[in-house]
Amino acid sequence: MPYTSVIRREVFRHDGISLADEQEAVARRYTTNPRLLHWVHEMVDLCTPDTVHWCDGSKDEYDFLAGLMCETGTFIRLNDGLRPNSYFCRSDPADVARVEDRTFICSYKPEDAGPTNNWRNPAEMKGILHGLYEGAMRGRTMYVIPYSMGPIGSPIAKIGIEITDSPYVVCSMSIMTRVGKEVLAALGPDSDFCRGLHSVGMPLEKEQPDVPWPCNEKTKYIVQFPETREIMSYGSGYGGNALLGKKCFALRIASAMARDEGWLAEHMLILKLTDPKGESIYVAGAFPSACGKTNLAMLTPTLPGWKVETVGDDIAWMKFGDDGRLYAINPEAGFFGVAPGTSMKSNASAMQTITRNSIFTNCAITGEGDVWWEEMSDKPPAYLVDWMRRPWTADSGRKAAHPNARFTTPASQCPVIAPEWQDPKGVPISAILFGGRRATVMPLVNESLSWQHGVFLGSIMSSEKTAAAAGKIGVVRHDPMAMLPFCGYNMGDYFSHWLKVGGATTSDKLPRIFYVNWFRKDAKGKFLWPGYGENSRVLKWVFERVTGRADVVETPIGRLPKPAAIDLSGLDLSRDTLKQLLTVDTQGWLAEIPLIKQHFAQFGDHLPQGLRDEVAKLEAGLRKGL
Ligand code: GTP
Ligand code: SPV
Ligand code: MN
């Protein structure tokens, strides 16, 4: 077997040394970093895999593992004439999304995890997990994945090592991050890294056949240790549960690093917006899972002459530059995007990105060997096999793709990727958008009155739950800055950190903060705003605000555009509807006040006074308007 060193278990077991000489020699071919060698040794001892494979991130390696998965039934190679070098994959129906109730933050003190996270004592949790990991990789290969979040060598980038027993994770990580020998070279002999251990939690006994999607149906743990920058994930192979660079490292662990080091790790898209004269600004946007980041990041403007290019679609790491402005990098190298709803009409750039070299998970497969999902085309193909491996036709009365079906695709293939998307110094951010999925109350767009007020608007964000996480969908919950499932420390301290960041530079250098809502509905449940490419009309207003040109109405909730300031040219939307989208629903906002107070109360002393002041100001302002 190429690329893989075989551990001779007998030698390995009885001679008392933790790793066979052969294995040691192989490991040293990749790195001399003693911390890394030691940790891999320890994990081999604990998980007892049959073989160890050090990933080099090469195309050969990817092809080899994809081929292996085709043999085991995990992957089906799609028709090369239709979608070259792409694979179709279906998960176990018990493993389809992030599991928030099985996600833990294990800080030494419970108050450092805060009221919105599941806390466990780190030593106790490690005890439980060690029990589970013991022999967990029996019959499997252990893959060691060196990866960089951010362009290798960027001062904002960070290195992680993921150990996993899932070849699906290896292939996905090589699309989503920068993997390979260059990362180990950048790590060098002395540096430290974020440790991530992942197992699907399904060891194989002798002669036991494997299944297409191994996982542990009953037991799942997604665990972060923010103080020691460690991640341990057990039992799931899906998305953010298993691709540890993404939510576990780039958000939960990195948010704690950012707090310590004075920067921001956020659940944000990054886009470049260019006006018809060729002037550009960069905008970041935090919307909860499955609430439109990928769509906005790749938007095709309906306004002539305007251009949107993509820097990132899910995560932003932002640090101050020497000029006092916030610079953002996209720590990822690929998109793990929601498939259902993606079409040439809604997101042509995403459709063009996924034409090749992509992995499709929990979509449906056509008779021709291509993928399909709801709304990909007006008319579904005559015959499909759905994500549950059942025959499917339009009158089956169920969805062909799982609502959290996803594509995994290289960012470099995106036709509107910004040329500077890999610039190691990042791009300067002029505006930050916050927004959730709200059928009522929240207007189409609203600019904050100050940084503190903007942080307040972010802190009271609420949204209907989507299929990106397991559990009931549609329930409105507070999801501050779209970070509820991703903040690795006390959310009250996180608010303070945001306020502190605002105090670290002059206000003219700070991004302006806006709150947007594409999801307002009328009495019949129809979206009031057309969304997608039409959101360019709102981006135009944001651009004009940042460059000091658009008129506003000052209200207690913030600065709203004068209705005439939103460019509706060429759009069939009545001024009446626009008025509805842009008025302050005073009664609706007043009804939110007790909910905001209740939401804030959970943080106790950790809630910064600045945000308390903002609720009081908002309430007084609304009452005055009655
Ligand atoms: P994660 O990858 O889970 O973090 O999600 P995301 O924020 O990138 O969400 P994405 O852009 O994939 O959008 C998810 C869903 O929102 C899809 O079903 C889209 O069709 C829908 N959506 C996106 N933009 C709009 C919009 O402007 N209006 C409406 N009505 N729906 C939208
Ligand atoms: C999200 O849920 O916000 C995602 C998908 O981006 S996952 O990587 O599974 O977390
Ligand atoms: Mn996300």
Side-chain angles (χ1 to χ4, degrees), residues 298-347:
M298 299 177 194
L299 162 151
T300 309
T302 49
L303 285 177
W306 287 79
K307 193 157 88 176
V308 167
E309 288 160 288
T310 314
V311 177
D313 85 323
D314 197 47
I315 299 176
W317 283 359
M318 295 187 278
K319 281 193 183 168
F320 284 110
D322 295 335
D323 60 359
R325 298 188 67 189
L326 271 177
Y327 284 75
I329 64 160
N330 169 12
E332 302 190 278
F335 308 127
F336 183 61
V338 178
T342 308
S343 66
M344 285 309 283
K345 266 193 245 153
S346 68
N347 191 346

Side-chain angles (χ1 to χ4, degrees), residues 7-189:
I7 294 174
R8 294 206 189 84
R9 193 88 73 78
E10 324 76 69
V11 179
F12 178 74
R13 284 280 154 204
H14 69 71
D15 61 4
I17 43 169
S18 60
L19 195 67
D21 290 349
E22 177 194 323
Q23 185 55 30
E24 174 79 29
V26 169
R28 287 191 173 272
R29 247 186 271 151
Y30 291 86
T31 181
T32 56
N33 186 304
R35 288 185 249 233
L36 177 52
L37 287 168
H38 180 78
W39 179 57
V40 172
H41 289 194
E42 270 188 342
M43 294 306 105
V44 168
D45 272 358
L46 177 65
C47 305
T48 65
D50 281 8
T51 59
V52 176
H53 173 129
W54 286 76
C55 299
D56 65 8
S58 63
K59 185 180 178 306
D60 279 359
E61 178 178 76
Y62 184 95
D63 293 345
F64 167 71
L65 292 175
L68 200 72
M69 285 190 278
C70 287
E71 278 169 33
T72 58
T74 304
F75 270 4
I76 292 173
R77 192 171 170 115
L78 292 170
N79 183 333
D80 274 284
L82 300 172
R83 220 168 279 272
N85 194 33
S86 296
Y87 298 92
F88 175 73
C89 180
R90 281 164 295 199
S91 79
D92 187 296
D95 193 21
V96 293
R98 284 184 295 101
V99 282
E100 294 181 1
D101 59 337
R102 302 304 305 159
T103 300
F104 300 88
I105 299 296
C106 299
S107 45
Y108 297 121
K109 288 193 273 175
E111 66 174 289
D112 285 336
T116 58
N117 281 314
N118 298 312
W119 177 84
R120 290 287 188 284
N121 173 285
E124 272 170 36
M125 181 55 96
K126 281 197 177 160
I128 296 172
L129 290 172
H130 276 252
L132 293 169
Y133 284 121
E134 223 176 329
M137 298 187 184
R138 216 165 36 240
R140 298 191 183 279
T141 298
M142 171 191 277
Y143 301 91
V144 182
I145 314 172
Y147 65 94
S148 174
M149 296 312 287
I152 296 170
S154 157
I156 313 182
K158 300 213 180 277
I159 290 176
I161 309 284
E162 175 163 357
I163 290 179
T164 179
D165 54 7
S166 160
Y168 170 83
V169 166
V170 178
C171 287
S172 302
M173 284 291 283
S174 40
I175 294 175
M176 294 304 297
T177 71
R178 291 140 177 112
V179 173
K181 288 186 170 162
E182 312 76 54
V183 177
L184 290 176
L187 180 68

Side-chain angles (χ1 to χ4, degrees), residues 247 267 289 293 314:
K247 306 300 167 147
H267 192 200
S289 303
K293 289 183 299 301
D314 197 47

